[in-house]
Every structure is written in C-alpha cells, then in structure tokens.
Amino acid sequence: MSGTFEGPTHSAGTAPDAGPPEVTESDHQRSVLAELRDYRAAFQASALAMAVVDHHGRIVRANDALGGMLGTEPASLAGRPAADLVGLTSDRATLRAYSEVLDGGRSGLRCTRRLKHADGRPLWAEVTAAPVAVPSTGPGRVLLSVADVSDRRELRERLRHLRIHDPVTRLPNRTLFFERLATALESPPEQDGAPGRIGLCYLDIDGFKAVNDTLGHHTGDRLLAAVAGRLTDCAEADGRRTGGHLVARLGGDEFAILVEDSSGTHQLTDLARSVLTALQRPFDVAGHRLSVSASIGVVERSSTGTSATALMQAADTTLYWAKADGRARWTLFDAERNAHRMTRQALSSMLRPAVERGEFTLEYQPLVGMADEVVRGVEALVRWNHPRFGLLAPSRFVPIAEEDGTIVQLGRWVLRTACRQARRWQLEHPDEPALFISVNVAVRQVWDSDLVADVADILAETGLEPGLLQLELTESAVMGSAGRPLRVLQALSDMGVRIAIDDFGTGYSNLAYLSRLPVSVLKLDGSFVRGFRYEDGTHPSPADETIVEAMVQLAHRLGLTVTAECVETSGQAERLRRIGCDTGQGWLYSRAVAPERIAELISTRPPEG
C-alpha cells in the first residue's frame, strides 16, 4: 500500500463516467422550432384576437380571430399599422403610451376602444399591448390582443343608468344632475368670445304632500311621472331654439331644469312661465282629476366664477322666496334681497350673545302735552351697537328677535333698564313731576314668559311706581285677545300699569271690542298725521282730519287718552291740538336721545299750572 491516491480502477471494456450526453446544435434548434410551433398553433387557434407587432408598430402576423373581427384574411394584415386598426391613434396620450411599449420603455398598455365589427355592429374592445416573451420572435416584438367586452360594457352601462336615473319618472336623478352641472361649469361655452352663461329653474310641486296623504303614494308617483312629462315637453320646446336642457328629479317633489348655454335671464323667465302654464292644466291620474301648481326659483348668471354649490344655494333661496311670496309663481334671484337675507341670518346668529354681552342701549323720545308742550313722559327705544354693522334701529333686529324668541330675554332687559332710568330721573329731580316711561312689549313676551311676574319684580327692584310705567302693544296683538293674553293685560292693569295700543288704526280696528279691554291709551299711527297735507297748497284735505277727529272723540268717550305719533311740523301740531289729542311724539319736539338729554329737558320744563 503506497502513500499516493491512484483513483478508482475500471474493468476492461468500461469507460469513465462522462456525465449527461452533450446536446448538439441541431438538437437545440429542433427544440426551439418545436416550441415555436406550439406557440404559433396556440396563437392561431386562440379565440382571442391577437397580432404580433414589430418595433415600428406594423403587424408581423395576425391570427384568425383578429381577421374575423376585422372582416379580412389574417395574412392581408401583415405590414399594416396596428394602431390604426384598433383605434390607438384616437387620442395623443394613448398613442404616446403605445409608442413607449414599442420602444421598450413601458411594460404594457391596456385601454378600451369603440370599434366596428366586420358584420357592421359596433363593439367595445379591450386592447392590450405587451412585449412578447416568445423565443426567436426577433427584437422589439409586441403582442397585441383585442378582447370583445361589449356585453360587459353594456351591463355596466345598464347598471350606471339605473344608478343615475329616477325609477319613478325615469328622469336623470340628483347624481347625474350634479355631474352635468359640474361639467358645464368646468368647461363653460363661449358666446361671441364672451364667457358663457348658465341658468337653472328649481321647482317643487305645491301641495304634493296632500296628494300622497289622501290618495296614496302610488297615485303620487303617477302624478310625479306626469309632471316629469310636461316638464320635459317644456324643456324640449325651449331647447329646440337654444340647445338641449337637462330635466332632473332631485328628490321628493323637487325638479330642476338646467340650461347649460343660457341666452340670458329672459330665456329662463320665459321657460318658468311655460312650466307654470303647463302645470296649471289638470292631470288625470288613476281615475282622479288633480290640479297642482309649482313654485319656481330662477337663477341665471355667467358660468365663469360660479360654483355648483353657489348656484344651488341661490336656487334654493329663490325657491323659498317664491313660496313665501304666495306659491304658484316663479321668482328671480335678487342679489340685493339675498344680501339682506344673509345680513338677517348674521344678525339672528349674533342676537342672543349680543344680549349677554351688553351690546344694546336705550334712547328716549319725549311724549309732550299738546296743550302746553310740556314733557309728560318718554318712550324707551332700543338700539344695537353692532360690532360690524354699527348702530342698528329696532326695525333691523326686533322682528328677528320675535321670530327666534330672543325678544323675551331682550324685552326683559329693556324693561328693567328703562324702569331703572325712570326711577333715577325721579330721584335726581325730586321737585319735578315724575315722567312716565313707555316700553314696547311684543306678543311673544305675553305668551312665552310670565310678563306679570317680570313687571312686578322689576318695579319692586327699581322702586318705580306702577302708574309711571306704560306698556305698548300693537293693535293686532291686543284686538281679539282672549284667554292668557287678556288675563295678562288685566293683571297688569289691576297692578296700576298703563296699557297703550301702539299704531292704532292700522290693524283690526275692532272698536266694539276696544271698550272691553283694560286699555288706557291709544297711540295713533303716524300715517294719519303724515296725511295732514294740502292738496293744492291752499286748502287742506279734510278726510284724514275727519278720521283722526272721530277716533279722538271715541277714545275720550271711552275714557282713553290719545297720543299722536310722527308729529314733525307746527302745522300738524296745531291741527292735532285743535282736534283734541292729549300728547304728541315726533321730531318737532325731539328725536330719540340719550338719557342725559332727557335730564336736561326735565330741568327746563316750565312749572305746571
């Protein structure tokens, strides 16, 4: 045994292990050709339309399915530009992406194209282009496949149609309406080089709920369908002159007619008139003859700078105006009226916090004896020192306060502040006859608060005598009072507080009922005093004077005193004095002033008697 390794020995006739047999070049070629034949067989037999395209975009080979789709022999397609055959040149973005696939800079492309089948029917095709991974196909080859997806597309379109159309009226629904509106505003048309305009008629059916409630929803739905038909007819008649309009049901009994290329306000108002006329004709629905009307908000403006939200807000506001103005009418959007509404909303939202922040103040207007022109009392008039709008008169915010109930809180503050001020004047001028203080009271204060308890508490707190407090209520609030309001007025009168009817002569003027109310004073509305005028510069008109004289005589017979408002000239004062009015109030004597100015008037009053 030697120290070297000789390796294994082999018996005679055997060869050493040489590994797997070598594959010759001819074997490899045969294998590739066999694989290529398999690919070609699959390519030709496939039901999917396909073509191999070279790096220039020309067809190298097309299968039978593609030839059948295009109505030609597959061999005749060789050398033709594939992009032209399958619609890849229809837009620049797709053509650029396809070129990148051919150049090897993009891994693939998929898009949907509308083509025409050999049998003449249109078809939707999904076109795919991707580099070919098949041996021996040469450099830069791309496999193009074209799949008929018409059935899938049709199903999707049907589902979309159901999603964007109302099942009752078959009109476009809210979704489609806002899609069209957004598109119209994104790409507004131009008219003679000027920005295009857009218009909207937004309407709902007056009293439709009563149809549903009395005749049922089935009849209601049929009525809505009939209304939709008439709206469509109106839109088509107008659209034939100026272009197509979109009629949509936005929900419930609300409809909209969108005019995407409006010729001006006159077109929208004419359309609104035609809609009202069409809907005024009775409907025969489910054996019922139904008459309905509509309220329509009309908006027309330049498309530039307008958003869908702003347009719909304007339309909704204008529809509200149409209803508030009496229904069965159309109303055109008014920017000034809308600005007033926005200001009103702003005031409403800030009103209650303003009371808590003490932004209100009182001014006082004297009530003067007509016989001697001596100040007998003052009326407290509230003002709002608004941080944005400045000093606001009561007419700007009191109606809002009455609507939202803030008047109860504000009225209580006014009453307390006025009584405290009246008591201060009394204490500061003990040798002068005390002035009475007159405070306006809203109807809602009578209903929504314990006015009797509030007055009693404030009088006790301030030390003011009940006889020096006068509460003014409007004629419409007092006349016909019964139940709680009448009990409140009676309790206040029993307390010694004077009750005055403000703006007398403009409301119910129920003179028979007047004798049964616990009223002390009538304040004649200023329109009567302003009516004291000369017709020809020489002779006064006797009508207003006769009316005022009759009311004064009636009041005196009932034991009431009379105050004339809005006295502005000495001539008016002289005639009122002659008629017999007890006190007057107006700019002839003084405007509403700060409490310091009233203190000066008290000091300068002549002694009584």
Side-chain angles (χ1 to χ4, degrees), residues 16 72 87 94 96 187 190 209 218 238 251 298 312 316 360 378-379 407 415 431 455 459 474-476 480 502 598:
T72 186
T94 301
R96 183 169 56 250
S187 305
E190 291 191 354
K209 184 177 183 299
H218 176 70
D238 187 73
V298 179
M312 291 307 299
D316 186 64
F360 292 90
V378 293
E379 179 180 354
I407 193 64
L415 182 63
D431 297 331
V455 170
L459 291 176
T474 61
E475 180 182 349
S476 58
D502 196 15
I598 298 297

Side-chain angles (χ1 to χ4, degrees), residues 120-162:
R121 63 181 173 88
L123 69 90
W124 285 96
E126 186 177 80
V127 180
T128 304
V132 178
V134 179
S136 301
T137 56
R141 298 296 172 87
V142 168
L143 181 65
L144 190 73
S145 62
V146 185
D148 186 347
V149 294
S150 299
D151 292 343
R152 186 196 317 167
R153 179 88 178 199
E154 182 180 356
L155 177 59
R156 188 164 65 239
E157 288 297 324
R158 287 180 180 176
L159 293 176
R160 172 173 166 74
H161 186 276
L162 292 175

Side-chain angles (χ1 to χ4, degrees), residues 209-225:
K209 184 177 183 299
V211 175
N212 268 347
D213 292 345
T214 58
L215 302 178
H217 288 272
H218 176 70
T219 301
D221 287 348
R222 293 185 62 177
L223 175 60
L224 290 175

Side-chain angles (χ1 to χ4, degrees), residues 452-476:
V452 176
D454 287 343
V455 170
D457 291 344
I458 290 171
L459 291 176
E461 173 189 325
T462 60
L464 187 70
E465 299 170 16
L468 294 178
L469 175 61
Q470 175 175 290
L471 299 180
E472 297 185 18
L473 290 90
T474 61
E475 180 182 349
S476 58

Side-chain angles (χ1 to χ4, degrees), residues 89 187 189 235 253 288 361 602 606:
T89 59
S187 305
D253 60 342
H288 301 280
T361 187
I602 295 174

